[in-house]
């Protein structure tokens, strides 16, 4: 069973904890922050669910496998970035001083900036501190392409790069098995294939969607990638995309 600590003070925090309590992945959870929305209900759910919530002691940090950082407060607030950096510094200082050497997942808005500072604050290796980046956007890209072409999802490889707020779809690097995706999308009535526009619009809508709805499942999949699966490329960092190989969660 992997030990995971979640911190944050938002509806996103609550949603992530709920998903991990109910996850089929074998996890032992700890909530680092106080004033988490619906914390009492989460405690009750953990008594009924698959994965328990346990109290984290100072000595327990050395056994923690992963730290998940979510939003502290409203991501639309003018002081959000400053608040996040202050809280992130406190969390990383506490964790490192207590012997934490696990992995860090930034599942918060502005994760490109926060991932960089989490690496700086912690001193951990770059490959162990990542953000969700454009992981969800890449998954959206692949799902739409596979649905339009009526092929299995696992046969499609497609990436969105850049940042979650400013993604770029790599059509030239998209494939169905070994066939370039663009080769399967001929012009229609002398115009570009409509799927190109449809995917772009859908990915844009996804990027602007409610994080508490979309992100918890992504957190679960990244944790599976940390401990039970293989990453084929990075989640954040230079390009902000990833792909997991795991039949249990990559559906």
């Amino acid at each position: 069973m992997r030990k995971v600590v979640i911190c944050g003070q938002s509806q996103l925090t609550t949603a992530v904890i709920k998903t991990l309590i109910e996850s089929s992945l074998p996890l032992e959870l700890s909530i680092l922050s106080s004033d988490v929305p619906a914390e009492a209900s989460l405690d009750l759910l953990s008594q009924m669910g698959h994965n328990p919530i346990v109290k984290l002691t100072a000595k327990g940090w050395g056994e923690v496998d992963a730290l998940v950082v979510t939003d502290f407060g409203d991501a639309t607030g003018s002081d959000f970035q400053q608040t996040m950096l202050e809280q992130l510094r406190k969390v990383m200082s506490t964790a490192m001083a207590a012997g934490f050497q696990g992995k860090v997942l930034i599942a918060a808005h502005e994760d490109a900036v926060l991932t960089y500072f989490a690496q700086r604050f912690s001193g951990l290796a770059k490959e162990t501190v990542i953000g969700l980046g454009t992981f969800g956007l890449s998954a959206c890209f692949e799902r739409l392409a596979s649905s339009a072409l009526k092929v299995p999802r696992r046969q499609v490889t497609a990436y969105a790069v850049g940042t979650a707020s400013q993604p770029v779809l790599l059509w030239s690097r998209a494939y169905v098995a070994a066939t370039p995706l663009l080769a399967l999308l001929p012009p229609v009535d002398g115009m570009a294939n409509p799927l190109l526009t449809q995917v772009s619009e859908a990915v844009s809508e996804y990027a602007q969607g409610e994080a508490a709805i979309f992100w918890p499942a992504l957190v679960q999949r990244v944790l599976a990638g940390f401990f039970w699966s293989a990453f084929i490329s990075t989640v954040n960092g230079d390009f902000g995309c990833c792909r997991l190989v795991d039949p249990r969660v990559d559906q």
Side-chain angles (χ1 to χ4, degrees), residues 184-215:
L184 302 175
L185 302 176
V188 177
D189 297 329
M191 305 292 289
N193 192 288
L195 184 63
L196 276 68
T197 300
Q198 292 168 11
V199 169
S200 179
E201 292 175 348
V203 168
S204 178
E205 290 179 3
Y206 185 100
Q208 298 173 36
E210 177 57 52
I213 300 296
F214 294 127
W215 292 9

Side-chain angles (χ1 to χ4, degrees), residues 5-28:
V5 174
I6 307 99
C7 65
Q9 295 172 324
S10 65
Q11 293 298 330
L12 173 59
T13 312
T14 300
V16 168
I17 296 170
K18 178 179 182 296
T19 294
L20 296 184
I21 288 173
E22 298 175 327
S23 173
S24 61
L25 302 175
L27 305 171
E28 183 178 274

Side-chain angles (χ1 to χ4, degrees), residues 114-153:
L114 297 174
T115 299
Y116 169 79
F117 280 100
Q119 293 167 349
R120 294 291 298 273
F121 294 157
S122 67
L124 292 169
K126 183 177 180 180
E127 61 269 19
T128 65
V129 183
I130 64 174
L132 285 181
T134 54
F135 179 19
L137 306 184
S138 296
C140 182
F141 187 179
E142 290 183 341
R143 185 177 297 278
L144 289 168
S146 67
S147 177
L149 297 173
K150 295 180 172 57
V151 298
R153 168 76 180 279

Side-chain angles (χ1 to χ4, degrees), residues 80-120:
F80 176 73
Q81 187 177 106
Q82 179 179 348
T83 298
M84 285 299 303
L85 289 174
E86 291 173 353
Q87 294 293 339
L88 183 62
R89 184 187 291 273
K90 291 179 183 178
V91 170
M92 298 313 306
S93 295
T94 298
M96 303 312 297
F100 172 68
Q101 290 295 316
K103 299 179 184 296
V104 179
L105 171 60
I106 307 297
H109 289 84
E110 301 190 28
D111 66 327
V113 172
L114 297 174
T115 299
Y116 169 79
F117 280 100
Q119 293 167 349
R120 294 291 298 273

